[in-house]
Amino acid sequence: MGRTMEWAARANHMGGIPRKMVIAAVGAFAKAVANVLNTTSVHNADTLLHLVRSRPPGVPLITVSNHMSTLDDPVMWGFRGFPTMDAKLARWVLAAEDICFKNSILSYFFRLGKCIPITRGGGIYQEHMNEALERLSDGAWLHTFPEGKVSQEDAPIRRLKWGTASLIVRAPVTPIVLPIIHHGLEEVMPENFLFGKRPPIPLFNKRVNIVVGEPIEFDLPNWRPMAISTSRDSSLSSIGWPSTSPCGLDEAARRCLYSSISDKIQTVMESLRKFGKSVLK
């Protein structure tokens, strides 16, 4: 389908006014759901606030979190003290094309809200992943849900998709990667509320808890030769990835590298999930 309404996602579209209006409206909604209708507490919020507001110039930020409901983004950014309604500081986010880009009206709205359409099953080298890479090249903040879909079960973090890892490797400047775990939004917007469907509006009087971790370090200059060495010892069959790579690795080595990065993120997220459960007792 091409880059769905990419022109609407540009900062200078109509002087930036439509974007500011959408971000302000969605931000106000997130604030209301997080703080008025429900109670939200955040552990280690200062780390997130610092990286959003004042990370080094040109250094991109990738936040990763579990995916508990269709309201995770934007409500998880609605906690007190967060600049939810600031269009310049607002995150870019990978959003499911089949949900958020069903028609031209939704596409325009979500584009103004700094959403990048991702086709489920389209692979990590689909066209819009290049757009996400461009935002990282600009030093922007990108949020991803690396599990790939909503899961409302109180269960360990599932095996992560490789899309986030590929962006970390392909970005010209290695992004700061910040893990976040949240719990409670599955009660605000349950998947099976009435006749197996979501409620028409967010539920209230729930408790939302957000745990912000510390940045995950990736020493890519050392990880790359390890991936090359590992790939030579494996018998991975080709799955048709592009033969050329800006990181100078063949397909087998890239697969090993993406797998290692994803495993690292998954391990950190699971530790954060367990920590969150312990502090909530």
Side-chain angles (χ1 to χ4, degrees), residues 105-117:
I105 295 175
L106 283 176
S107 295
Y108 185 62
F109 175 80
F110 282 103
R111 274 306 203 172
L112 291 177
K114 300 174 77 169
C115 297
I116 299 173

Side-chain angles (χ1 to χ4, degrees), residues 96 156 166 182 224 271:
S166 75
H182 56 86
R224 286 190 177 97
S271 297

